[in-house]
Amino acid sequence: MTRPFPEGFVWGVAAAAYQIEGAVAEGGRGPSIWDTFSHTPGKIANGDNGDVAIDHYHRWEGDLDLIAELGIANYRFSVAWPRVMPDGRTLNPEGLAFYDRLVDGMLARGITPLATLYHWDLPQALDQGPNGGWLARETAERFADYARVVGERLGDRLSAVTTLNEPWCSAYLGYGSGEHAPGLTDNSLCYPVAHHLNLAHGLGVQALRSVLPATTGVSVTLNIHQVVAASEEPADRAAARHADLVANRIWLDPMLRGVYPDELIEQTRHLTDWSFLRDGDTQLIHQPIDFLGVNYYNPARIATAVPGRPTFPGTDRARGVGYGPEVPVTVMGWPIVPSGLTDLLLRLHKDYGVPLQVTENGIATQETLDRSGAPIEIHDTVRIDYLRDHLGAVLDAIAAGADVRGYYEWTLLDNFEWAWGYDKRFGLIHVDLESQERYPKDSAHWYAGVIAANALEG
Ligand code: FCB
């Protein structure tokens, strides 16, 4: 059976600066909180860091050639704030010029760029002392300045600018569970941080609109958790509702409705007094966007918290629980539930009525290279199956009425997978980390075929 995608469906691949660029001390780049964090012993698997990564800073032309050869028409990349503004405030022309060349390089190859401004690499200079980083309201203002600078220089050649990538990770993993930079572990900090990220989005959209041509869109990318209660028990259902407020509606409601849910504020009062929320803030956060970017890997199955067991990040009321053995998991331990993506897209459509694009979806594998044969082939059928099933889930959501306009696979090349280091390989293309050689996996050719047909076959 052939299942076509709508005409004009946006096909792409996604990546992020710190995961691929390397060259952390070149071109005038300043350190970011991820440089500091990844050099802190014990934070990253195998003691890995992004110093060299996959050397995209030097190999970007070849990498863009690979995208073009696969017929992938859109590339979601991120701009590193510490390259453009090494101290978070002062322009580094050399850093901005790198992205200028990168964008021109895409256009020269027929690739349309979608730029993310903040994929977690906050300039370290903005995170000094106990109340710095995203605990400081001022960081949102600095972000707006940065957004304006990038929008002014690159905006005429981008399909859209995305303010933030997955602020949930920045707030809850960065300040609650400590798995991400800056590595703090205090749930009460997550809420002012979330608010300042929301403000950064709102101020950033305003700044972008003042400089972008009308044809360039503005968006934000959220990892909305498809929350399901682990049982019908009232306590588990209440925990799931609470997790939805904390993980999802804390972004969706102010950004798309101009208000924080009363229930969210009530249910987190024991952690924070919300004094960081000032009059007029939610109106500032509530700026029109052209589409909502949705990153989906797996759903979140939620039960009520149990003393002594780990809780869902940022809250003491809920915990995540696994599925039974009937649901397969990836090498990350993430359950594979494609229907969760359909449910999520339909929920966002119904509750928020906003155009959607899937801005990340993909799977990690741990393949090793077999050099015995020539040419080197990598048979990652598990990735092809994952992508086929999730693209089918996107089609199901479209058939049921959701306005889904695009899909960006995560990711083109194996890269630095944050706290997991280099072991977990998400790429359509294998990277030999010693030689930096790139080898397309079977999934790369399969994905190219889907794009060429604008349809799922079989
Ligand atoms: C998302 C991140 C992305 C990548 C994937 C696997 O949370 O946005 O950078 O690491 O997960």
Side-chain angles (χ1 to χ4, degrees), residues 97-382:
F98 170 71
Y99 296 105
D100 200 61
R101 290 195 298 277
L102 188 69
V103 164
D104 280 346
M106 290 184 227
L107 297 181
R109 291 165 178 81
I111 303 163
T112 302
L114 164 62
T116 301
L117 294 176
Y118 188 68
H119 204 124
W120 309 346
D121 42 2
L122 185 72
Q124 184 64 66
L126 294 181
D127 193 358
Q128 307 290 347
N131 292 309
W134 289 107
L135 286 166
R137 186 178 170 99
E138 198 220 327
T139 301
E141 288 159 25
R142 298 291 71 75
F143 176 78
D145 296 343
Y146 159 62
R148 185 176 300 107
V149 164
V150 176
E152 228 160 27
R153 178 70 172 267
L154 307 181
D156 58 335
R157 288 157 289 158
L158 307 171
S159 62
V161 182
T162 302
T163 53
L164 309 175
N165 174 74
E166 300 192 358
W168 180 87
C169 294
S170 305
Y172 294 106
L173 304 184
Y175 291 80
S177 73
E179 291 159 80
H180 278 191
L184 302 185
T185 51
D186 179 347
N187 282 345
S188 71
L189 303 180
C190 300
Y191 297 88
V193 163
H195 182 60
H196 296 148
L197 284 157
N198 275 329
L199 266 183
H201 164 74
L203 294 171
V205 174
Q206 281 188 336
L208 288 167
R209 295 281 187 208
S210 72
V211 295
L212 290 181
T215 46
T216 303
V218 174
S219 65
V220 63
T221 276
L222 302 175
N223 56 327
I224 300 303
H225 292 64
Q226 175 54 26
V227 170
V228 267
S231 81
E232 290 301 308
E233 293 298 321
D236 287 345
R237 290 167 61 104
R241 184 163 171 84
H242 175 72
D244 185 48
L245 288 163
V246 164
N248 300 330
R249 294 185 58 194
I250 197 169
W251 320 106
L252 291 166
D253 283 32
M255 286 182 183
L256 299 171
R257 293 178 176 157
V259 65
Y260 282 107
D262 290 339
E263 269 183 287
L264 168 68
I265 295 179
E266 283 155 24
Q267 293 182 14
T268 54
R269 279 257 188 242
H270 62 298
L271 290 172
T272 178
D273 61 7
W274 284 79
S275 57
F276 47 80
L277 176 58
R278 299 191 191 160
D279 281 354
D281 279 0
T282 50
Q283 286 90 317
L284 271 180
I285 297 166
H286 184 208
Q287 299 294 324
I289 55 171
D290 297 283
F291 67 89
L292 174 65
V294 181
N295 292 356
Y296 176 83
Y297 293 90
N298 55 269
R301 200 155 170 261
I302 298 293
T304 192
V306 170
R309 298 256 199 101
T311 55
F312 191 70
T315 175
D316 48 15
R317 295 199 178 188
R319 70 191 163 106
V321 292
Y323 284 78
E326 67 284 1
V327 175
V329 294
T330 72
V331 298
M332 307 285 285
W334 297 351
I336 303 179
V337 186
S339 63
L341 178 54
T342 311
D343 296 344
L344 174 59
L345 294 168
L346 285 171
R347 183 261 176 118
L348 292 171
H349 174 71
K350 180 169 127 304
D351 288 358
Y352 297 94
V354 62
L356 303 167
Q357 298 209 29
V358 177
T359 40
E360 283 181 30
N361 175 240
I363 180 172
T365 50
Q366 260 169 335
E367 74 270 332
T368 43
L369 274 194
D370 174 4
R371 294 183 176 280
S372 55
I376 290 171
E377 293 179 348
I378 298 152
H379 306 300
D380 57 338
T381 46
V382 62

Side-chain angles (χ1 to χ4, degrees), residues 367-441:
E367 74 270 332
T368 43
L369 274 194
D370 174 4
R371 294 183 176 280
S372 55
I376 290 171
E377 293 179 348
I378 298 152
H379 306 300
D380 57 338
T381 46
V382 62
R383 177 167 291 102
I384 295 175
D385 291 345
Y386 182 96
L387 296 179
R388 182 191 291 111
D389 292 348
H390 285 78
L391 285 170
V394 172
L395 282 171
D396 292 344
I398 294 172
D403 181 5
V404 189
R405 302 186 178 176
Y407 177 94
Y408 289 79
E409 198 272 347
W410 181 272
T411 181
L412 182 72
L413 300 152
D414 294 340
N415 61 45
F416 176 72
E417 182 44 42
W418 307 111
W420 300 82
Y422 292 96
D423 245 18
K424 305 285 189 282
R425 294 174 171 272
F426 272 93
L428 294 169
I429 298 177
H430 183 95
V431 179
D432 177 338
L433 293 165
E434 265 162 42
S435 67
Q436 294 288 358
E437 290 293 323
R438 276 86 163 127
Y439 301 98
K441 306 177 191 177

